[in-house]
Amino acid sequence: MSDKDLRFNSKTIHGGQSPDKAYGAVMPPIYQTSTYAQDTPGGHQGFEYSRSGNPTRAALEASLASIENGNYGLAFGSGLAAIDALMKLMKPGDEIVSTNDLYGGSYRLFKKIFEDFGLKFHFVGMQDIAAVEECINKNTRLLWVETPTNPMMNVIDIEAMAALAKRHDLLLAVDNTFATPYLQQPLDLGADIVMHSATKYLGGHSDVVVGALVVKDKELADKLYFIQNASGAVCGPMDSFLTLRGIKTLHVRMQRHCENGRIVAEYLKAHPAIEKVYWPGFEDHPNHDVAARQMKDFGGMVSFVPKGSSYDAAIAIVEKLKVFTLAESLGGVESLAGHPASMTHASIPKEEREKSGVVDSLIRLSVGIEDAADLIADLEQAIV
Ligand code: P1T
């Protein structure tokens, strides 16, 4: 049976993997080496220098390709390093249409680094397909989609974006960090490139910073591999090992993240001191139909605003939480709470971020896989 015939919950464990050739180790050894002996110049066993390739990283890259139903995976030193490599496919003068509600670090990379290299970014609410099309002109090369969006939990229709990309001969890249391939597989919906901050759900234990790109097409894979090797922001062997280990339990963790996410979202929605809850599983979420079609479940990320929408009320809640840790990041087994305006999205000017709903009173929860009753009890004591 080839890996491609395995179901998702087996691919996470076996996809792209085989026992190590030297001693049959079931887990890939951590090849903590920068270089490899050659018997004659060019006479090596497939690896010559660990920026160009490393067996532990190669095992992770094969797993990434497998779980995203791609053919080629590339592992980087962070999610932003993966986006940085992807953007180097562009040339000065090229234009990119991006969602206007996205991770603050992605926005910062686009605006503060790549605009200086002659790229132009249009930020638009991609739930509105006509608005995306209006931004497309003869210089447009790429659609950058993040779905669900960080932190507003908008859901963008990947198939509709793929149709638009095809009609205008554009690349479509999807940041699949929030959903993970357990919930949606963008390459199957027509995307050209899937990107991950593997720091989050793929690693799943808040112990690595890793990024990933996955593609189906060989020519695109070759270009990205060239950039990965030429620019050099690769994932190290130890982090590759830890991420691979995390991926093996992705499906069971995600199932519980989704269950707990639903319990927390419904609890908050019914709470008299809460003004608004953002979670795509609610039938009255504006993109619920797209989410229900495109995703297997609705994930463990929930954002909300306390009544009165005051900054002080939001800060008081995040400071009181005990089981939820106040911290940047998401997707680990432990629950985290964040205040996007001052933390993950602080690099987006206030006026810009407020346009997409990232107000000073917004709180973002990464609901972990603890006992849901403890999470609810923690929220209960923190929200008054
Ligand atoms: O942190 P890094 O591995 O470089 O990944 C960047 C990144 C890219 N895309 C999305 C959707 C992300 O959420 C992130 C990182 N986000 C956080 C650190 C956060 O707390 O939102």
Side-chain angles (χ1 to χ4, degrees):
M1 192 187 224
S2 110
D3 284 353
K4 294 215 192 260
D5 299 326
L6 292 174
R7 290 169 181 79
F8 182 78
N9 295 352
S10 307
K11 283 185 176 180
T12 53
I13 297 165
H14 299 292
Q17 309 303 300
S18 49
D20 184 61
K21 292 206 175 51
Y23 296 106
V26 169
M27 277 303 284
I30 302 160
Y31 282 96
Q32 195 70 48
T33 185
S34 59
T35 193
Y36 306 81
Q38 309 190 12
D39 48 18
T40 182
H44 53 74
Q45 298 174 47
F47 296 94
E48 51 188 328
Y49 186 60
S50 279
R51 171 163 36 71
S52 313
N54 171 285
T56 320
R57 193 177 95 219
L60 170 62
E61 291 176 331
S63 167
L64 292 165
S66 172
I67 60 174
E68 281 289 5
N69 291 341
N71 295 320
Y72 306 93
L74 296 149
F76 293 85
S78 70
L80 284 177
I83 304 175
D84 179 86
L86 190 160
M87 285 299 156
K88 286 175 180 157
L89 292 169
M90 304 289 114
K91 299 270 180 303
D94 287 348
E95 298 190 14
I96 295 99
V97 184
S98 162
T99 179
N100 63 350
D101 168 26
L102 76 170
Y103 171 53
S106 307
Y107 177 89
R108 181 178 55 197
L109 178 65
F110 297 164
K111 291 292 287 181
K112 297 274 171 68
I113 305 280
F114 280 111
E115 274 195 357
D116 286 350
F117 286 83
L119 301 188
K120 185 168 175 192
F121 293 86
H122 302 260
F123 296 96
V124 61
M126 286 184 147
Q127 306 82 267
D128 181 349
I129 297 161
V132 177
E133 192 149 30
E134 264 174 42
C135 296
I136 296 173
N137 62 43
K138 63 176 180 12
N139 297 324
T140 311
R141 286 278 316 282
L142 172 72
L143 300 182
W144 176 259
V145 169
E146 193 182 289
T147 183
T149 59
N150 179 0
M152 295 310 297
M153 306 305 298
N154 292 305
V155 175
I156 297 163
D157 186 336
I158 298 172
E159 275 182 319
M161 288 301 120
L164 209 54
K166 198 160 188 197
R167 196 153 68 241
H168 294 276
D169 196 19
L170 311 173
L171 282 173
L172 171 62
V174 176
D175 182 335
N176 205 22
T177 299
F178 268 37
T180 83
Y182 174 80
L183 295 178
Q184 73 190 9
Q185 288 164 315
L187 297 179
D188 288 347
L189 299 174
D192 300 292
I193 309 174
V194 172
M195 175 266 155
H196 277 279
S197 169
T199 314
K200 312 296 179 334
Y201 289 105
L202 298 190
H205 296 76
S206 305
D207 52 10
V208 289
V209 176
V210 171
L213 298 177
V214 181
V215 301
K216 285 193 167 170
D217 180 68
K218 165 109 175 61
E219 201 182 319
L220 192 51
D222 287 347
K223 282 186 190 161
L224 288 168
Y225 172 71
F226 182 85
I227 295 167
Q228 184 194 39
N229 184 42
S231 288
V234 294
C235 177
M238 182 71 193
D239 287 354
S240 296
F241 174 87
L242 288 169
T243 307
L244 197 51
R245 184 165 78 161
I247 288 173
K248 286 177 191 288
T249 56
L250 176 66
H251 51 298
V252 279
R253 286 186 286 107
M254 283 309 290
Q255 191 178 346
R256 185 61 66 84
H257 281 297
C258 292
E259 287 166 14
N260 284 359
R262 176 182 293 278
I263 293 168
V264 166
E266 285 173 354
Y267 167 80
L268 291 170
K269 193 169 190 178
H271 199 295
I274 301 304
E275 175 99 35
K276 180 97 183 97
V277 185
Y278 301 92
W279 180 67
F282 292 135
E283 280 182 15
D284 62 358
H285 182 286
N287 322 122
H288 177 72
D289 291 350
V290 179
R293 189 174 73 234
Q294 167 168 294
M295 298 166 71
K296 184 170 156 185
D297 204 337
F298 303 103
M301 297 300 297
V302 180
S303 296
F304 70 99
V305 174
K307 271 224 165 89
S309 294
S310 92
Y311 171 85
D312 291 345
I315 298 301
I317 291 171
V318 295
E319 284 181 354
K320 272 198 210 126
L321 288 167
K322 294 192 175 73
V323 182
F324 285 84
T325 303
L326 177 60
E328 306 234 1
S329 204
L330 58 110
V333 289
E334 69 291 308
S335 292
L336 300 181
H339 179 248
S342 66
M343 296 166 74
T344 48
H345 292 69
S347 53
I348 305 179
K350 185 175 164 76
E351 204 185 287
E352 277 305 308
R353 67 174 157 74
E354 289 196 339
K355 273 192 222 156
S356 52
V358 188
V359 291
D360 285 349
S361 53
L362 186 79
I363 296 170
R364 189 191 72 182
L365 300 178
S366 170
V367 181
I369 63 170
E370 300 94 336
D371 194 308
D374 289 326
L375 300 180
I376 298 301
D378 195 28
L379 290 164
E380 186 81 24
Q381 63 79 29
I383 304 169
V384 283

